[in-house]
Amino acid sequence: MADGRGDGLTGPDVPVLAERLWTQARDDDGGVPLEVALTVAELYWRRYQASPGVEGGSEDLGHAVALYTMIAEVAGDAVPEPMRPLVAQAAAQVADGASLDAANALLDEAADRLEAAQTGDPAVHLDEAIALYRNLLDGEHRLPEGDARRPMVLSNLGMALRMRAERTEHGDRADVEESVRLTRESLRQGDDRAAFLGNLMISLGTRYAWTGDEDDLDEAVLVGEEAISVIPPDDPRWAVHASNLSGLLRIRFDDRGTRPDLDEAVRLSAAAAEATPEQDPARSLRWSNLSNALAARFDLRRHPDDLDAAVDAGRRAVLAVGSQPGLQAPVVANLGNLLLTRFEHWGETTDLDEAIRRGRDALAAGRLGAPAQASLRSNLGNAHRCRFDRVRDPQDLVLALAMTREAVETTGEYEPQRASRWSNHALALMSAYEHSRDPDHLDEAVEAGRAAVEAAGADENRGSKYLSNLAVLLAARRGPGDLEEAVTAATSAVTVLPSDDPARAIRLFNLAGVLLDSASCSEDREASRRAAFESYRQAAELVTAATSVRLTAARKAGDQAAEAGDRALALASYTDAVALLERLVTRRISRRSRERQLTDHVQLAGDAAATALSLGAPDRAIALLERGRGVLWSQMLDLVPHPGLAARHPDLAWRLADTASALD
């Protein structure tokens, strides 16, 4: 072999002899002496040199490279010079293969941690996932630029950071900012555009929740619209992106009042919920999103069916959440908020009690980020205040004050909900003042009211509610300059709203009350009283407003007219109020709640009848009395089957009567 000619190396028995030599030289651990390894490697190398172009030559070279690669780890100088480039290349490929296996193992583990965050402790699992993804981007197992897996790692790290900000107390704004940066980068580098667009949409929406930057909200909507346009509706990912986009559109509607956004939000969220299979873990969130969109449409149209449908969708969301701790709190809290809204409109006490119970369940479930935690505490505190105002349990007041205060203290300076949380705290303080007559509570309420107005910023429509509430607080305090400021604030709260805005009614109602409070200090008391009457009348006539506000405003207008001696005007207002009783005391609420509502207005029909009698209209007085006292009776009669039905189909008539009894 030393002469390099290779005589005899090309024979078929040479590889057999080489394999036998290798096998016989192996020790118990499978190792081979270096001298044997060098001999066999050189045999294959010389065999390849003797006939490089013949069949089997490349196989000989492969064996030689593999053997010399192992030899190079312990004796690099023993590798022939011509073989060294090939050995170096092979060594790099081996290293890359090990790195590939390690990177894939880390990817799998990180994905497991993300999934575990849904069912276990999100703080621990998300921290672990974030560390693993950072390793793949910048650590020991760094994926090189251009690696096809790198965009996915960027996107998933952004997702994990966003989830940590949303669902744990460990997350902060820095997590949100990095989430947006990473998901943008994944979109620039990756090919799976639909997935990366979806992640960017959510990250931008999350940052909007922390900062209130409307540019983020607009971009999130545009990104979401592109996401649902690049995948067909029958792709499961379409429902994911459509549901998330619907939530952003609803938020933008809440912020700006753009009706097309709301209509599209309802359409998309309904389609996404219906398209989600029962076994899909996301089904709960899809129904919860639909409930929010329907609730927003109820706020706009005031159609009771929208609110009932929202509550039903919320219940379906709770049923679907199953054993997903990461989702239980937000889904259950959402149902609690819907029930509180329905109580505020129809006065159903069981809705209020359930709203508080659901809120407590959500609070106990935990796993909420700072903004969601503050929102839950604020809403739950508001529910306790409502119940205190109704049943006067001091414990409700204690909880209302504590929870609304905690919500304010944990709300960031630029969060969009800061004004609402200050306002809820101000109302709790006002209830505390009415209960204790402690002036410190009222002073603190006024300061909280001012903070709410300041937090609302320059958006006049959004600030209208907080200006109106501040006016009521100032009028109650009546310190130097308070009444003048109250009238100015209450007037501004009305004038900034469109004439058909449903919220205009409660603003007018508050303005009327402030005008009456200021009448004692006014140079022209009659002018203030007339202005108050006109505000009450306009509130009563706003058909899109809540029935409870309209009815109370009509009754107050009647009281003002009667006090002014205008009995005809008083009778007209009282008549309107009696007519609204039938809309207020609806079958949508329980018999007990209907009776409570009627008790709150027990004198209304009597005042109306007395006014009619004073005008010499006894027949009208009787009609008003009968209409007022017969609300529940007329509802029962409406449910009684027609006599003709009983004669022709007695079984069906009996079933209808039995159902009517159960409903009532």
Side-chain angles (χ1 to χ4, degrees):
M1 290 195 300
D3 61 7
R5 293 178 300 171
D7 295 341
L9 289 176
T10 58
D13 57 335
V14 174
V16 176
L17 292 172
E19 183 177 350
R20 184 178 301 167
L21 175 61
W22 183 277
T23 302
Q24 291 176 349
R26 280 194 298 188
D27 59 25
D28 293 339
D29 295 327
V32 173
L34 178 61
E35 294 78 5
V36 174
L38 283 168
T39 299
V40 175
E42 187 175 1
L43 178 63
Y44 279 114
W45 168 234
R46 296 296 184 184
R47 180 178 167 84
Y48 168 74
Q49 285 183 312
S51 53
V54 302
E55 184 177 355
S58 60
E59 186 175 345
D60 291 331
L61 179 62
H63 286 309
V65 170
L67 290 170
Y68 277 125
T69 299
M70 290 188 291
I71 291 168
E73 294 181 6
V74 294
D77 292 342
V79 178
E81 188 68 33
M83 287 290 293
R84 291 180 182 180
L86 296 175
V87 168
Q89 183 179 355
Q93 290 174 345
V94 169
D96 285 346
S99 176
L100 176 64
D101 291 341
N104 285 337
L106 289 179
L107 282 170
D108 291 341
E109 187 177 352
D112 290 342
R113 294 304 91 206
L114 277 180
E115 184 177 351
Q118 302 285 345
T119 56
D121 184 341
V124 172
H125 295 308
L126 288 172
D127 286 344
E128 292 174 352
I130 288 167
L132 290 168
Y133 284 129
R134 290 198 190 285
N135 190 333
L136 288 163
L137 288 178
D138 303 305
E140 178 184 356
H141 297 91
R142 181 182 184 277
L143 298 175
E145 298 293 336
D147 190 296
R149 296 163 297 170
R150 192 173 176 87
M152 179 182 66
V153 172
L154 288 165
S155 185
N156 286 354
L157 175 56
M159 182 193 307
L161 289 164
R162 171 180 56 78
M163 290 171 64
R164 185 166 72 178
E166 290 177 331
R167 301 183 186 180
T168 77
E169 296 180 0
H170 297 220
D172 55 23
R173 181 170 171 178
D175 280 345
V176 179
E177 296 288 353
E178 188 176 5
S179 172
V180 172
R181 180 180 64 79
L182 291 168
T183 49
R184 282 195 199 282
E185 185 62 27
S186 71
L187 186 60
R188 284 192 289 268
Q189 293 187 17
D191 295 328
D192 191 355
R193 191 162 183 81
F196 299 147
L197 283 167
N199 274 353
L200 178 58
M201 168 177 58
I202 302 172
S203 293
L204 287 164
T206 301
R207 189 166 73 176
Y208 168 78
W210 281 76
T211 66
D213 187 338
E214 293 189 355
D215 288 343
D216 278 339
L217 182 58
D218 288 338
E219 185 183 358
V221 169
L222 288 174
V223 169
E225 289 173 342
E226 183 180 354
I228 65 172
S229 72
V230 298
I231 47 178
D234 58 350
D235 188 314
R237 293 180 300 172
W238 186 92
V240 177
H241 298 329
S243 182
N244 291 332
L245 175 58
S246 73
L248 293 169
L249 288 167
R250 178 185 54 78
I251 290 170
R252 192 165 72 176
F253 166 77
D254 290 342
D255 187 54
R256 304 178 195 173
T258 45
R259 176 65 182 269
D261 279 345
L262 179 58
D263 291 338
E264 183 67 359
V266 172
R267 184 188 73 81
L268 286 173
S269 57
E274 293 291 351
T276 305
E278 290 189 8
Q279 67 274 15
D280 192 323
R283 182 176 172 84
S284 178
L285 280 179
R286 307 278 164 75
W287 282 105
S288 190
N289 283 349
L290 175 58
S291 71
N292 285 329
L294 289 165
R297 192 166 71 181
F298 167 77
D299 287 339
L300 180 69
R301 305 192 313 177
R302 286 297 193 271
H303 197 298
D305 288 346
D306 280 336
L307 187 53
D308 288 342
V311 171
D312 289 343
R315 293 196 190 284
R316 294 185 70 168
V318 170
L319 287 174
V321 78
S323 59
Q324 302 178 71
L327 298 180
Q328 281 180 348
V331 169
V332 173
N334 184 60
L335 176 58
N337 293 340
L338 294 168
L339 290 163
L340 178 59
T341 298
R342 192 162 71 175
F343 162 76
E344 290 170 345
H345 283 85
W346 309 115
E348 175 58 78
T349 54
T350 57
D351 279 345
L352 178 59
D353 290 339
E354 186 182 356
I356 291 174
R357 187 175 74 254
R358 297 287 188 180
R360 287 175 174 170
D361 289 345
L363 204 58
R367 296 180 168 86
L368 289 170
Q373 186 81 242
S375 180
L376 174 56
R377 289 187 181 278
S378 184
N379 291 335
L380 183 53
N382 195 41
H384 277 293
R385 177 189 62 80
C386 289
R387 192 163 71 178
F388 169 76
D389 290 343
R390 181 168 288 263
V391 302
R392 313 306 288 181
D393 184 343
Q395 184 62 24
D396 277 323
L397 181 58
V398 170
L399 291 170
L401 288 169
M403 289 183 173
T404 55
R405 182 179 294 110
E406 289 172 6
V408 167
E409 291 172 350
T410 55
T411 298
E413 182 178 357
Y414 300 104
E415 285 185 43
Q417 299 304 318
R418 185 172 177 81
S420 174
R421 289 166 196 165
W422 271 116
S423 183
N424 281 350
H425 187 47
L427 294 176
L429 288 163
M430 183 63 179
S431 291
Y433 166 73
E434 292 172 344
H435 178 64
S436 67
R437 291 297 162 182
D438 182 345
D440 289 343
H441 281 145
L442 188 53
D443 288 341
E444 194 177 349
V446 169
E447 292 311 306
R450 291 192 192 282
V453 171
E454 181 180 356
D459 188 331
E460 292 183 337
N461 278 14
R462 185 165 175 260
S464 171
K465 171 183 177 179
Y466 309 118
L467 268 178
S468 185
N469 289 348
L470 175 60
V472 173
L473 297 169
L474 289 165
R477 188 170 69 173
R478 297 196 178 200
D482 279 347
L483 288 174
E484 292 85 349
E485 184 183 356
V487 171
T488 300
T491 302
S492 297
V494 171
T495 56
V496 298
L497 294 180
S499 59
D500 60 346
D501 192 314
R504 187 178 170 88
I506 189 63
R507 309 288 187 269
L508 286 163
F509 186 91
N510 287 347
L511 172 60
V514 169
L515 288 168
L516 290 177
D517 287 335
S518 67
S520 59
C521 304
S522 174
E523 295 180 0
D524 190 345
R525 294 185 180 182
E526 281 306 308
S528 294
R529 293 184 183 278
R530 286 194 300 272
F533 167 81
E534 183 61 22
S535 292
Y536 281 136
R537 186 192 63 78
Q538 290 181 32
E541 292 178 352
L542 189 57
V543 296
T544 58
T547 302
S548 58
V549 176
R550 295 183 62 201
L551 190 156
T552 307
R555 182 175 179 179
K556 291 282 190 180
D559 293 343
Q560 289 302 306
E563 188 175 333
D566 192 333
R567 290 176 292 177
L569 199 54
L571 180 58
S573 295
Y574 286 142
T575 300
D576 291 341
V578 171
L580 286 167
L581 272 177
E582 296 168 1
R583 292 189 58 184
L584 177 70
V585 188
T586 171
R587 285 196 199 92
R588 294 177 184 276
I589 60 178
S590 66
R591 176 64 178 256
R592 178 184 176 187
S593 294
R594 280 181 274 167
E595 290 173 350
R596 186 192 293 271
Q597 293 272 31
L598 288 172
T599 300
D600 292 341
H601 299 282
V602 67
Q603 296 295 329
L604 175 57
D607 292 341
T611 305
L613 286 174
S614 71
L615 289 170
D619 291 345
R620 191 170 180 184
I622 293 172
L624 286 166
L625 280 174
E626 289 298 311
R627 189 170 187 179
R629 77 178 184 87
V631 172
L632 295 181
W633 178 246
S634 65
Q635 289 177 351
M636 292 177 64
L637 289 177
D638 287 345
L639 293 174
V640 174
H642 190 277
L645 178 64
R648 295 182 182 181
H649 304 284
D651 290 342
L652 181 57
W654 179 86
R655 288 169 58 194
L656 284 173
D658 186 58
T659 301
S661 176
L663 287 171
D664 203 56

